[in-house]
Amino acid sequence: MSVLVYTESENGKFKKNAFEVASYAKVVASQLGTSAIALTFNVQDDEILGEYGISKVLKVSNDQLATFSARAFADTISQAVEKEKAKVVIVSSSADTKFMAPILAAKLKAGYVPNVVASPENTEPFTVKRTAFSNKGFAHTQINTDIKIVGVSNNAFGQHKNKVAIEIEDFNPNIDDSSFSVKSVEVDKVVGKATIADADIVVSGGRGLKGPENWGMIEELAEVLGAATACSKPVSDMGWRPHGEHVGQTGKPVASNLYIAIGISGAIQHLAGVSASKTKVVINTDPEAPFFRAADYGIVGDAFEVVPKLIEKLKDF
Ligand code: FAD
């Protein structure tokens, strides 16, 4: 019996959430008195997982799996689960994984719970805490199946070093790509220094910025902070910004350490997707804007005055 963790990667490098899920897997393995095994896809620096408590890596090096495909990845993970007799599978709660994990759950006849924010409260019965009702509450959910799949929220559990000796084993899954295959992937243009999913800081603009010509200061603030840029739904609907930047209930979820909302009112659908961020700062001319009630820090003021001053100050650091 073991705990298997699927680690996400891109261009041969682990994504930030790979270290979070690895840390989580180590904690679950310790609770169950077993070891944590990672499955990696076409990664060069597998050894680094040893620093997060992973004692064995099943290393897949296969060009057919160079591009994410939910079905092929679910197939591969299920073969790894079978090989290692894993009873708990840890994955992230990224958009790709949320697409793939239900397929994996069906294959393994496993219960799957995404958006988990803390280590299991109990292993018998296996109980996890997850966000519910668009991040407005928490649910304590029991998984009663023999195999359990836990989807850990980005940025919720954190990365925890716990160095152990690591063994790397090549793993060659049987890939059946006869049903469909991914021909190409179009990657969103990334403005700023990070993608929304991986960013520690997100700078987000709303309709209060009046038009696309005013986004220079948003991009400059993001550049100074090493942040990703995002926007509210109407902003992308009007074509001021690319759809890949739309965050909220119907856009990308944000769980950054710092979320700066500029000229965004804080409608419930916007807050639903960004409220998992740890610290929220709001800049808005209207002191009654609903976002102030959800914010940790607020500046009542005109973005066109406040943001340039903020950039100037930050450049002094
Ligand atoms: P507004 O509501 O127009 O707010 C603009 C704000 O800017 C105001 O608070 C104003 O005081 C402030 N402002 C104006 N001038 C300045 C200035 N100079 N400096 C500083 N502040 C200024 N929205 C999302 O964002 N994401 C979603 O995923 C989403 N999903 C939706 C799903 C459904 C089913 C529905 C019905 C709606 C959804 N919406 C979503 C839309 C949502 O309800 C709001 O309409 C939207 O979030 C408002 O965008 P906004 O805050 O940019 O614009």
Side-chain angles (χ1 to χ4, degrees), residues 134-135 202-207 230-235 245-254 259-276 280 282 291 294:
S134 299
N135 292 325
V202 174
V203 177
S204 191
R207 204 149 46 180
C231 67
S232 65
K233 183 175 184 298
V235 163
E245 285 194 17
H246 159 201
V247 295
Q249 189 174 13
T250 49
K252 286 186 180 152
V254 180
Y259 182 75
I260 307 179
I262 303 170
I264 299 177
S265 57
I268 192 160
Q269 298 89 353
H270 186 87
L271 293 178
V274 306
S275 59
K280 293 172 276 294
V282 173
F291 217 142

Side-chain angles (χ1 to χ4, degrees), residues 152-170:
V152 182
S153 279
N154 278 359
N155 243 344
F157 185 72
Q159 304 177 7
H160 304 279
K161 293 217 170 169
N162 189 346
K163 195 167 181 176
V164 295
I166 188 163
E167 169 200 350
I168 314 278
E169 182 181 316
D170 287 327

